[in-house]
Amino acid sequence: MGKHDVVIFKPYPFKKGQKMNIEHGPRKGDWEVVDVTDQKVTLRCPVSFREFQWNRFCYFVEERKGVIWPK
């Protein structure tokens, strides 16, 4: 067995009240975490205030400080 570079992905540990921005994909844009369960996350758009519940889907990439939100 040789050594290799391996990319590790872990589900993001959402917390109620978090502000987030998804940069790519069908859910891209600014969101606020409204509710979290073991299987689902509910996000609210800060502009339209519409809420959506999805299976947990995000993986942590980076955290930025001092970002203007919503854009």
Side-chain angles (χ1 to χ4, degrees):
M1 297 277 170
K3 292 187 178 183
H4 300 276
D5 294 335
V6 177
V7 178
I8 306 297
F9 290 89
K10 295 182 181 180
Y12 185 76
F14 290 105
K15 295 180 181 100
K16 288 182 185 180
Q18 282 180 311
K19 275 64 171 171
M20 58 189 285
N21 178 271
I22 300 173
E23 290 189 350
H24 301 285
R27 298 178 183 122
K28 73 179 182 178
D30 293 322
W31 298 97
E32 182 175 4
V33 179
V34 176
D35 193 31
V36 182
T37 68
D38 288 340
Q39 301 297 318
K40 303 280 186 180
V41 61
T42 304
L43 303 180
R44 176 174 43 228
C45 172
V47 177
S48 69
F49 300 105
R50 291 181 61 197
E51 294 184 7
F52 300 89
Q53 184 180 69
W54 290 303
N55 291 329
R56 293 180 70 159
F57 62 91
C58 283
Y59 297 89
F60 181 72
V61 175
E62 73 176 290
E63 183 174 356
R64 298 177 188 163
K65 303 227 182 259
V67 174
I68 296 172
W69 182 95
K71 293 180 184 178

